Amino acid sequence: EHSALSVDGVIARVETAPALGLDIQAHPIGAADIAGIAGRPVLRGDIELEGRLHGGLEALRLDARVDGGDAGRLQVDAMAGLTSTPMPWTLDARTDALALDALLVDVPEPVRLAGVYRVGAVGTDWPEGLDATVHVAAGEQVLWGEPVASTRLDAQVSGGVVRVQTFAAEHAAGRL
């Protein structure tokens, strides 16, 4: 089965200050099609996506739900300020249960996520052209085969240096 993409909506003020209001549905995004684009296998199976791309180019937003079938679901909210240099951007991902090893070919060991993962940044060029804040608040997860009862992380990234403000993790071996 090949990928199927449906886009419905409006692009207003195309010649002056474009503003989008697009509903996007991909049922499915075929693993074979992604492998053809990437030149190698990426997904272990097909996924589905439903979302909305909206706003002006100065703060274009994507609100989407990715369904990986048995691998789980992921809610993604993102923003990119496409008219600014360096570009401001945010990524907010939430899941109750997502098995990355069941979803992605390049994740060979068990990785099961459950939590909120946020990045707010300016710039995209690593290391000098990226300043970011990172926040993770996760419940029970499996990270490279190791069960972790909870994780909390707050960090800053600037000039290639990561500064951790808060880190806490609970594992069978102890708490940090």
Side-chain angles (χ1 to χ4, degrees), residues 57-59 79-89 122-124:
L57 297 183
E58 70 284 352
M79 184 283 301
L82 300 177
T83 59
S84 297
T85 303
M87 181 181 72
W89 58 275
V122 174
T124 57

Coordinates of all heavy atoms in Angstrom, one line a residue, residues 57-59 79-89 122-124:
L57 N 4.0 33.1 8.3 CA 5.3 32.6 8.2 C 6.2 33.1 9.4 O 7.2 32.5 9.8 CB 6.0 33.0 6.9 CG 5.3 32.5 5.7 CD1 6.1 32.9 4.4 CD2 5.2 31.0 5.7
E58 N 5.8 34.2 10.1 CA 6.5 34.7 11.2 C 6.3 33.8 12.5 O 7.1 33.8 13.4 CB 6.1 36.1 11.6 CG 4.7 36.3 12.1 CD 3.6 36.2 11.1 OE1 3.9 36.2 9.9 OE2 2.4 36.2 11.6
A59 N 5.3 32.9 12.5 CA 5.0 32.0 13.6 C 4.2 30.9 13.0 O 3.0 30.7 13.5 CB 4.4 32.7 14.7
M79 N 6.4 25.2 16.4 CA 6.3 26.5 15.8 C 7.6 26.9 15.2 O 8.7 26.5 15.8 CB 5.9 27.5 16.9 CG 5.7 28.9 16.4 SD 7.1 29.9 16.0 CE 8.0 30.0 17.5
A80 N 7.6 27.5 14.1 CA 8.8 28.0 13.5 C 8.6 29.4 13.0 O 7.6 29.7 12.3 CB 9.3 27.1 12.3
G81 N 9.5 30.3 13.4 CA 9.4 31.7 12.9 C 10.3 31.8 11.6 O 11.5 32.2 11.7
L82 N 9.7 31.5 10.5 CA 10.4 31.4 9.2 C 10.9 32.7 8.7 O 11.8 32.7 7.8 CB 9.5 30.7 8.2 CG 9.0 29.3 8.6 CD1 8.1 28.7 7.5 CD2 10.2 28.3 8.8
T83 N 10.5 33.8 9.2 CA 10.9 35.1 8.6 C 12.1 35.7 9.4 O 12.6 36.8 9.1 CB 9.8 36.1 8.6 OG1 9.2 36.3 9.9 CG2 8.7 35.6 7.6
S84 N 12.5 35.1 10.5 CA 13.5 35.6 11.4 C 14.8 34.8 11.2 O 14.8 33.6 10.9 CB 13.1 35.5 12.9 OG 12.0 36.3 13.1
T85 N 15.9 35.6 11.4 CA 17.3 35.0 11.3 C 18.0 35.5 12.6 O 18.2 36.7 12.7 CB 18.0 35.4 10.1 OG1 17.2 35.0 8.9 CG2 19.4 34.7 10.0
P86 N 18.4 34.7 13.5 CA 18.2 33.2 13.5 C 16.7 32.9 13.8 O 16.0 33.7 14.3 CB 19.1 32.7 14.6 CG 19.3 33.9 15.5 CD 19.2 35.1 14.7
M87 N 16.3 31.7 13.4 CA 14.9 31.3 13.4 C 14.5 30.9 14.9 O 15.2 30.0 15.4 CB 14.6 30.2 12.5 CG 13.2 29.7 12.5 SD 12.9 28.3 11.3 CE 13.7 27.0 12.2
P88 N 13.5 31.5 15.5 CA 13.0 30.9 16.7 C 12.1 29.7 16.4 O 11.4 29.7 15.4 CB 12.1 32.1 17.3 CG 11.7 32.8 16.1 CD 12.8 32.7 15.1
W89 N 12.1 28.7 17.3 CA 11.3 27.5 17.1 C 11.0 26.8 18.4 O 11.7 27.0 19.3 CB 11.9 26.5 16.0 CG 13.3 26.0 16.4 CD1 14.5 26.7 16.1 CD2 13.6 24.8 17.1 NE1 15.5 25.9 16.6 CE2 15.0 24.8 17.2 CE3 12.8 23.8 17.6 CZ2 15.7 23.7 17.8 CZ3 13.5 22.7 18.2 CH2 14.9 22.7 18.3
V122 N 16.3 29.2 19.6 CA 16.6 30.2 18.6 C 17.8 29.7 17.8 O 18.8 29.4 18.4 CB 16.8 31.6 19.2 CG1 17.2 32.6 18.1 CG2 15.6 32.1 19.9
G123 N 17.6 29.6 16.5 CA 18.7 29.1 15.7 C 18.7 27.7 15.4 O 18.0 26.9 16.1
T124 N 19.4 27.2 14.4 CA 19.5 25.8 14.1 C 20.9 25.3 13.8 O 21.0 24.1 13.6 CB 18.6 25.5 12.8 OG1 19.1 26.3 11.7 CG2 17.1 25.8 13.1

